[in-house]
Amino acid sequence: MTKNHDLIHWVNKWAELMTPDKIYWCDGSEEENQHLLNGMVSSGMAVRLNDKLRPNSYYFQSDPSDVARVESRTFICSESREDAGPTNNWHDPEQMKTTLREHYKGCMKGRTMYVIPFCMGPLHSDISHLGVQLTDSPYVVVNMRITTRMGKEVLALIDHSDIFVPCVHSVGYPLEPGQPDVKWPCAPIERKYIAHFPETREIWSFGSGYGGNALLGKKCFALRIASTLALDEGWMAEHMLILGITNPQGEKKYFVAAFPSACGKTNLAMLTPTLPGWKVETIGDDIAWLEFRHDGRLYAVNPENGFFGVAPCTSMDTNPNAMLSVSKNALFTNVGLTPDGDVWWEGIGHDMPPGTMDWKGRFHEPTHCEPIAHLNSRFTAPASQCPSIDPDWENPMGVPISAILFGGRRATTVPLILEARNWDHGVFMGSTIGSEVTAAAIGLKPGVRRDPFAMLPFCGYNMGDYFAHWIEMGKCTRPELLPKIFTVNWFRKKEGQFLWPGYCENSRILAYIFDRCNNERKTENTPLGVIPATGEINTEGLDITTEQLEQLFRIDPDEWKDEVDSIDEHYNKFSHLPAELHNELEMLKINLGL
Ligand code: OXD
Ligand code: MN
């Protein structure tokens, strides 16, 4: 228990409203974890995997209606609509609280309310932040134990600090006396709410037990609420991986990279370089908190403690480090379950064992064409188990960043690599990231979706103000100390075929960026920015033709006319667009002769 009266008062107030049968304060111990997992196995929510194949690992299937983040039910409840901006679902905070209190009334009946003290960031870092999540889902507790620092030690920190972000979560499925539970309790979509109150730094989530809707430390706290803290306090909370890269001479640098969801951030963060003598190490695969420190350099910390990664297409070929991270002490949700008690998904690198159960609990006829694993099926694994984890991944100071990469999935238009002329030009690049979406994945219209800084679903305030914050951050230090900024696009195609091999061959691009950070390599100026001079990307041993390389850097005037129109349309949404970005767009038009 705690000595923090505010915390005790807050917990009691919510218990009165949600009326759980029991309140349990999580200490984060291994015994507690085993107890919860055993309980879920007994209730039928979890399956313990075969210990010989995958020690201490568990399998879960969600309700088919509760499989992903629901952007349409995610709300930013700021006092004024203007502060949520044109890209968020805004709701009046008092009205939202009134509506939600009705939903929360009695919602934990028949269940235990778990109190989870957690810390985003290393335990004793000045950039870390504390939170407490209430939840009625033991699945959430065991996932939060992996993805955040959680338990007794954090509670001791909360005892000595008045500041914690209060996070309330319920699956929204109370049980009447004698009513049997279901395997995955949740509420229907129209009763799901993922509500953020940026002014009072609160998160209220109701009705979903899955991923970012329920593990509130991740997208809700470390991105949406943290982005508002960062704006006020002069730092940055970003949807970025962090990696360390060492050249054959032993010199090391760190990069961060922002890509929209499902563009391979986890693969890039854990990449095994194909270039001899180079090494890549992982700090984080999804979120970076960035701050300028006394030496004028930008430092990054991964606020998370584990990975919550997309399973399909992860294999020993595409990402051996992720595969080894999930070899034990891992949780799997919505993948297939093999007859010998292991997991399977499309693209795991071997044929499906006969008799594998799909994520909906069915056994397929060979003619059945639905996937075994849901496209958004996930693994949860401790970062400490990743073979490529960086020795400094928990350094409370963070690591100094030399380059910032922006990217998306673009079959046309965008070159393989483009270097910004300066910080403001780089901010322009970040603010215009586009990525092709598939309708199947998130229920969005296929086509290019502008996802500025890959933060579209995750920025907790007006995105125009967020762009301005980026511009301001560039004034925090001397220009020569700012990281260089690049756009990359591994996904360019010709006649339906990828032009660049991607995956571990992306180390060739990272190596080029590394050298650019030392102001090495020959470059060429283009209307879009700076590209490598011919021959400056190491393609030794690659099966790639000169024509393919030219295609990868081609600037097609018609495509760019459309692109500029589309950026114009995108920018027109923002009444708070900083003048610097408007000027960058005008400059691009002039450079392109438009
Ligand atoms: C994620 C996402 O789950 O970006 O990381 O959607
Ligand atoms: Mn993400």
Side-chain angles (χ1 to χ4, degrees):
M1 268 291 270
T2 176
K3 297 185 223 50
N4 185 322
H5 291 289
D6 289 347
L7 175 55
I8 296 171
H9 176 73
W10 176 74
V11 170
N12 289 341
K13 191 186 71 177
W14 278 98
E16 251 167 60
L17 180 67
M18 302 196 287
T19 64
D21 284 5
K22 276 191 261 166
I23 302 178
Y24 177 83
W25 291 70
C26 299
D27 63 17
S29 65
E30 185 51 41
E31 302 76 67
E32 170 185 283
N33 189 45
Q34 284 306 325
H35 179 73
L36 291 171
L37 287 162
N38 291 342
M40 285 187 276
V41 170
S42 309
S43 76
M45 189 184 196
V47 172
R48 186 172 175 121
L49 295 174
N50 185 333
D51 261 300
K52 293 204 187 72
L53 302 171
R54 217 167 283 271
N56 195 30
S57 297
Y58 292 81
Y59 172 77
F60 302 84
Q61 288 169 349
S62 78
D63 188 271
S65 69
D66 196 25
V67 292
R69 288 185 292 100
V70 266
E71 290 179 17
S72 62
R73 305 298 302 164
T74 300
F75 303 95
I76 299 297
C77 308
S78 43
E79 297 288 335
S80 105
R81 181 189 286 270
E82 187 73 5
D83 288 341
T87 58
N88 282 313
N89 290 323
W90 175 80
H91 217 288
D92 175 76
E94 270 325 305
Q95 262 179 19
M96 177 60 90
K97 286 191 170 177
T98 305
T99 307
L100 274 175
R101 273 195 202 98
E102 279 307 306
H103 285 72
Y104 282 124
K105 205 178 275 173
C107 70
M108 291 194 182
K109 211 187 295 175
R111 300 191 183 278
T112 298
M113 180 171 95
Y114 301 94
V115 183
I116 312 173
F118 66 96
C119 177
M120 300 313 291
L123 281 190
H124 300 285
S125 167
D126 59 6
I127 200 170
S128 296
H129 281 84
L130 302 168
V132 181
Q133 177 167 350
L134 306 179
T135 183
D136 50 7
S137 164
Y139 169 85
V140 165
V141 180
V142 295
N143 273 274
M144 287 282 284
R145 184 169 181 269
I146 296 175
T147 55
T148 73
R149 281 102 179 155
M150 175 275 246
K152 212 164 53 195
E153 262 188 279
V154 179
L155 193 58
L157 292 177
I158 293 175
D159 274 348
H160 299 289
S161 152
D162 308 332
I163 306 167
F164 63 91
V165 172
C167 310
V168 183
H169 171 251
S170 170
V171 294
Y173 196 99
L175 294 169
E176 296 304 327
Q179 183 185 344
D181 206 352
V182 291
K183 192 170 68 182
W184 183 277
C186 62
I189 180 114
E190 66 284 0
R191 294 209 303 128
K192 291 192 203 306
Y193 293 85
I194 297 93
H196 307 73
F197 302 92
E199 279 106 1
T200 49
R201 322 276 196 231
E202 292 170 278
I203 302 164
W204 292 20
S205 168
F206 184 89
S208 167
Y210 203 87
N213 304 330
L215 313 178
L216 302 186
K218 195 172 174 67
K219 304 298 187 180
C220 298
F221 184 160
L223 287 176
R224 297 195 191 97
I225 292 295
S227 64
T228 66
L229 291 169
L231 174 70
D232 289 355
E233 297 168 5
W235 51 283
M236 302 153 100
E238 300 298 330
H239 190 201
M240 289 176 168
L241 66 87
I242 314 167
L243 60 81
I245 175 164
T246 308
N247 74 2
Q249 290 70 45
E251 186 186 349
K252 186 164 189 179
K253 297 187 188 298
Y254 293 93
F255 300 166
V256 288
F259 293 82
S261 306
C263 286
K265 280 213 305 295
T266 305
N267 290 344
L268 186 62
M270 298 181 189
L271 166 150
T272 311
T274 46
L275 282 184
W278 289 80
K279 182 155 98 181
V280 165
E281 288 164 292
T282 312
I283 309 265
D285 76 328
D286 197 38
I287 300 177
W289 285 355
L290 300 148
E291 181 171 59
F292 284 98
R293 291 207 179 265
H294 55 281
D295 60 356
R297 294 197 63 191
L298 186 65
Y299 282 73
V301 158
N302 171 11
E304 298 192 275
N305 190 48
F307 309 119
F308 183 68
V310 173
C313 294
T314 308
S315 70
M316 285 307 281
D317 283 336
T318 60
N319 192 340
N321 287 318
M323 290 304 280
L324 295 168
S325 304
V326 302
S327 59
K328 59 183 182 204
N329 308 317
L331 308 172
F332 297 90
T333 311
N334 286 347
V335 299
L337 179 65
T338 66
D340 58 355
D342 200 5
V343 287
W344 190 88
W345 51 78
E346 281 72 16
I348 197 172
H350 57 85
D351 289 344
M352 183 190 82
T356 296
M357 182 198 279
D358 78 359
W359 71 278
K360 288 184 176 170
R362 301 171 306 183
F363 297 94
H364 288 194
E365 297 297 322
T367 51
H368 197 109
C369 55
E370 275 182 66
I372 292 285
H374 187 275
L375 280 179
N376 191 39
S377 54
R378 298 283 178 151
F379 55 77
T380 319
S384 58
Q385 288 186 187
C386 181
S388 62
I389 202 73
D390 193 278
D392 266 329
W393 83 280
E394 298 199 273
N395 187 334
M397 283 284 290
V399 292
I401 298 302
S402 299
I404 300 174
L405 281 57
F406 294 119
R409 246 172 222 281
R410 297 296 302 269
T412 64
T413 319
V414 179
L416 177 60
I417 177 162
L418 199 55
E419 179 181 329
R421 286 182 291 267
N422 52 41
W423 182 266
D424 286 1
H425 183 217
V427 176
F428 171 77
M429 287 175 170
S431 73
T432 55
I433 296 181
S435 196
E436 277 127 25
V437 290
T438 52
I442 15 187
L444 300 166
K445 267 198 265 148
V448 174
R449 180 202 205 201
R450 293 281 154 204
D451 188 350
F453 297 84
M455 283 288 278
L456 188 66
F458 306 122
C459 183
Y461 60 97
N462 190 311
M463 195 128 217
D465 296 336
Y466 167 88
F467 295 163
H469 183 50
W470 263 85
I471 297 282
E472 283 308 305
M473 292 302 288
K475 299 176 186 157
C476 287
T477 193
R478 297 204 307 275
E480 66 275 20
L481 293 178
L482 285 168
K484 282 190 190 291
I485 303 183
F486 299 81
T487 291
V488 293
N489 177 26
W490 332 127
F491 300 96
R492 199 152 179 184
K493 286 184 179 170
K494 176 136 192 257
E495 288 153 13
Q497 299 292 320
F498 286 113
L499 285 159
W500 179 250
Y503 293 110
C504 295
E505 302 298 356
N506 292 337
S507 54
R508 296 168 190 271
I509 308 301
L510 297 183
Y512 169 82
I513 292 174
F514 186 104
D515 290 346
R516 287 297 303 140
C517 293
N518 287 338
N519 293 316
E520 293 165 3
R521 304 294 186 109
K522 290 199 200 71
T523 58
E524 263 174 41
N525 279 317
T526 77
L528 311 180
V530 180
I531 62 169
T534 311
E536 289 296 324
I537 302 263
N538 181 343
T539 53
E540 216 176 295
L542 270 193
D543 188 16
I544 193 164
T545 62
T546 315
E547 201 221 326
Q548 279 171 320
L549 273 172
E550 272 167 21
Q551 283 291 333
L552 278 162
F553 286 100
R554 198 169 114 79
I555 299 170
D556 181 304
D558 292 337
E559 285 176 0
W560 273 92
K561 181 167 184 328
D562 291 349
E563 184 74 2
V564 161
D565 287 347
S566 145
I567 294 173
D568 242 331
E569 195 185 317
H570 163 61
Y571 271 2
N572 281 338
K573 287 201 209 94
F574 299 102
S575 54
H576 295 202
L577 192 77
E580 288 84 348
L581 294 187
H582 185 74
N583 294 343
E584 288 293 332
L585 179 57
E586 289 312 304
M587 210 135 67
L588 176 63
K589 287 182 191 170
I590 293 167
N591 291 349
L592 287 163
L594 295 172

